Amino acid sequence: MRPIRPTLAVASMAAVLALAATACGPTEDNAGDKPSASAEQPADDKITIPDDLKDRLKERGIDLDKWKNGEWKNWDKDKWLREAQDFVNPIIEDLWDPDRMRDAEQPPEKPVDNDISGDEGVTDPTPAPVDAQAVKAPYHASAAEAGKVFFDGPQGSMVCSATVVKDPANPGKSNMVWTAGHCVHAGKSGGWYRNIAFVPSYNDGAKETAELEKAPKEEIAPYGVWWGDWAQTSDQWISQGAATGGQGAAYDFAVIHVTPEKGSTGKSLEETVGAALPVDFNAPAVPKIDNMTATGYPAAPPYDGQKLFQCADKPGRLSLRAEEPTMYRIGCTMTGGSSGGGWVAQGQNGKPALVSNTSIGPVTAGWLAGPRLGKEAEGVYKAVSKKFEGQ
């Protein structure tokens, strides 16, 4: 996927800091534990932060008062938390205002070579490009589970795509979102991205960029802004992943658990948008899949990241390294920014299910590849679900 010049968005000085319910992750001995502390919300809707949570954040060098005043922009190596248990994402209310969302246009990944397979494992011929089709507005009517992810990294504000997925521990009330690992964590050379937020049905009415400049936030984010209060990706992505060369791509998936920016209304994300997809970790082999549909908000030219697109194609196989799982690959002209978007196919039960997510694509923007979801992906999914069981 083509790289995009960074767009640095400046947070409003009037932004109000709150804290997502789970600020620090589990230890190695209790990786599946539920959060030990949560933010209490009094009747006046002011978020208070438990003292023990503040202490744990300070142990990791994060002072909340300094954070809200711009310390989150400090990407020094000793401040950039990278271990699986160190995910923190304090909510800064109204940080993602309409202007900042519209101006965020940089995907975190760089393009790969068109012929990246290296003749290792089983790789099918490069698919013919399939032109991405604009999703009919309103998006909520045809792809209610789709949305856009916003986050900050050392180069500025960045964007990806994501999908609302079902939560086995909370049937019908999921707050779980599926995306790519590189949309939440920089991989072996960095750590967790910051200010991670999900906007379902972003720009639901498919307005042009010029129209969005005057549109109220209710039209740009009609179902609200949902901040990640926990994120988890594969150990392989954290240790091997990179923005170039497809390193770690076979394990490039992540799950974000989200919470409303403005405080709970009593409704989950799934209830709010009215949709969530099941995830199939044992999808049929490539020869048995007639069609896969990838959805996303491509941001690199000729797209601008403001509209939702889809590609449908019969998948082929892409093997980057013989010792790693073979990936799915489809013809598609979507570019950077579509990363993390869900791939939907007929699951083992014959019903639509999420079976992959966009991970990599070439400079020529003729195809996309995504990981085949297996036991590692299922482990991440179940761990996040268990962490918030009954909440």
Side-chain angles (χ1 to χ4, degrees), residues 179-389:
T179 190
H182 75 257
C183 298
V184 299
H185 195 288
K188 63 181 180 181
S189 63
W192 294 103
Y193 291 124
R194 297 171 182 167
N195 305 324
I196 299 172
F198 174 68
V199 178
S201 295
Y202 172 80
N203 188 20
D204 193 38
K207 291 180 179 294
E208 300 294 336
T209 302
E211 295 178 281
L212 288 176
E213 292 178 359
K214 300 178 181 179
K217 190 171 183 178
E218 292 72 23
E219 292 183 13
I220 298 172
Y223 298 94
V225 177
W226 298 70
W227 281 65
D229 55 4
W230 184 250
Q232 194 160 333
T233 185
S234 67
D235 292 339
Q236 292 91 338
W237 175 259
I238 291 175
S239 62
Q240 304 169 20
T244 58
Q247 298 176 65
Y251 301 97
D252 186 15
F253 43 77
V255 175
I256 309 170
H257 188 277
V258 298
T259 189
E261 178 182 79
K262 300 297 185 180
S264 177
T265 62
K267 282 188 175 182
S268 66
L269 175 62
E270 181 178 0
E271 291 171 305
T272 300
V273 303
L277 284 176
V279 185
D280 194 332
F281 299 100
N282 190 28
V286 164
K288 297 181 179 179
I289 300 177
D290 293 328
N291 185 278
M292 275 187 175
T293 299
T295 302
Y297 285 86
Y303 308 96
D304 64 4
Q306 307 306 321
K307 295 182 180 180
L308 189 65
F309 286 82
Q310 291 181 327
C311 287
D313 193 20
K314 181 175 177 59
R317 295 165 292 185
L318 174 65
S319 177
L320 302 182
R321 294 166 185 80
E323 69 275 11
E324 294 181 353
T326 300
M327 301 177 70
Y328 293 119
R329 182 163 61 165
I330 61 171
C332 185
T333 60
M334 286 198 292
T335 59
S338 62
S339 279
W343 290 27
V344 178
Q346 190 178 75
Q348 291 284 1
N349 63 0
K351 297 180 180 180
L354 186 141
V355 297
S356 187
N357 58 262
T358 298
S359 174
I360 57 173
V363 176
T364 54
W367 56 261
L368 297 175
R372 186 171 181 184
L373 307 181
K375 62 180 182 179
E376 292 86 0
E378 186 174 19
V380 169
Y381 176 74
K382 286 184 175 180
V384 176
S385 176
K386 182 179 179 181
K387 189 178 187 69
F388 292 88
E389 186 174 4

Side-chain angles (χ1 to χ4, degrees), residues 36-324:
S36 59
S38 61
E40 298 175 357
Q41 187 168 358
D44 62 0
D45 288 335
K46 298 292 184 182
I47 302 292
T48 59
I49 302 167
D51 290 337
D52 66 324
L53 193 51
K54 289 182 180 179
D55 291 342
R56 286 192 286 134
L57 288 173
K58 286 184 177 180
E59 286 176 6
R60 289 168 167 80
I62 296 176
D63 182 286
L64 290 176
D65 290 330
K66 292 181 179 179
W67 188 274
K68 73 176 181 180
N69 289 320
E71 179 65 15
W72 64 263
K73 299 174 186 176
N74 182 352
W75 296 95
D76 291 347
K77 189 173 182 180
D78 62 340
K79 295 289 186 181
W80 196 4
L81 305 179
R82 63 167 276 103
E83 300 303 323
Q85 68 270 18
D86 285 343
F87 178 80
V88 290
N89 196 46
I91 295 174
I92 304 176
E93 286 190 24
D94 299 321
L95 175 67
W96 293 111
D97 60 22
D99 290 341
R100 200 167 191 267
M101 284 192 284
R102 188 183 64 253
D103 292 342
E105 59 180 15
Q106 179 188 358
E109 77 281 5
K110 298 295 187 290
V112 298
D113 293 334
N114 191 58
D115 183 14
I116 195 177
S117 66
D119 295 324
E120 296 180 329
V122 179
T123 293
D124 293 321
T126 301
V130 172
D131 289 336
Q133 300 298 308
V135 174
K136 184 178 179 180
Y139 301 150
H140 185 261
S142 54
E145 68 281 353
K148 192 169 179 177
V149 177
F150 296 89
F151 53 101
D152 285 300
Q155 293 78 35
S157 299
M158 296 189 274
V159 290
C160 275
S161 303
T163 307
V164 183
V165 294
K166 291 189 176 297
D167 179 356
N170 295 286
K173 298 183 177 183
S174 175
N175 285 308
M176 290 169 57
V177 175
W178 192 281
T179 190
H182 75 257
C183 298
V184 299
H185 195 288
K188 63 181 180 181
S189 63
W192 294 103
Y193 291 124
R194 297 171 182 167
N195 305 324
I196 299 172
F198 174 68
V199 178
S201 295
Y202 172 80
N203 188 20
D204 193 38
K207 291 180 179 294
E208 300 294 336
T209 302
E211 295 178 281
L212 288 176
E213 292 178 359
K214 300 178 181 179
K217 190 171 183 178
E218 292 72 23
E219 292 183 13
I220 298 172
Y223 298 94
V225 177
W226 298 70
W227 281 65
D229 55 4
W230 184 250
Q232 194 160 333
T233 185
S234 67
D235 292 339
Q236 292 91 338
W237 175 259
I238 291 175
S239 62
Q240 304 169 20
T244 58
Q247 298 176 65
Y251 301 97
D252 186 15
F253 43 77
V255 175
I256 309 170
H257 188 277
V258 298
T259 189
E261 178 182 79
K262 300 297 185 180
S264 177
T265 62
K267 282 188 175 182
S268 66
L269 175 62
E270 181 178 0
E271 291 171 305
T272 300
V273 303
L277 284 176
V279 185
D280 194 332
F281 299 100
N282 190 28
V286 164
K288 297 181 179 179
I289 300 177
D290 293 328
N291 185 278
M292 275 187 175
T293 299
T295 302
Y297 285 86
Y303 308 96
D304 64 4
Q306 307 306 321
K307 295 182 180 180
L308 189 65
F309 286 82
Q310 291 181 327
C311 287
D313 193 20
K314 181 175 177 59
R317 295 165 292 185
L318 174 65
S319 177
L320 302 182
R321 294 166 185 80
E323 69 275 11
E324 294 181 353

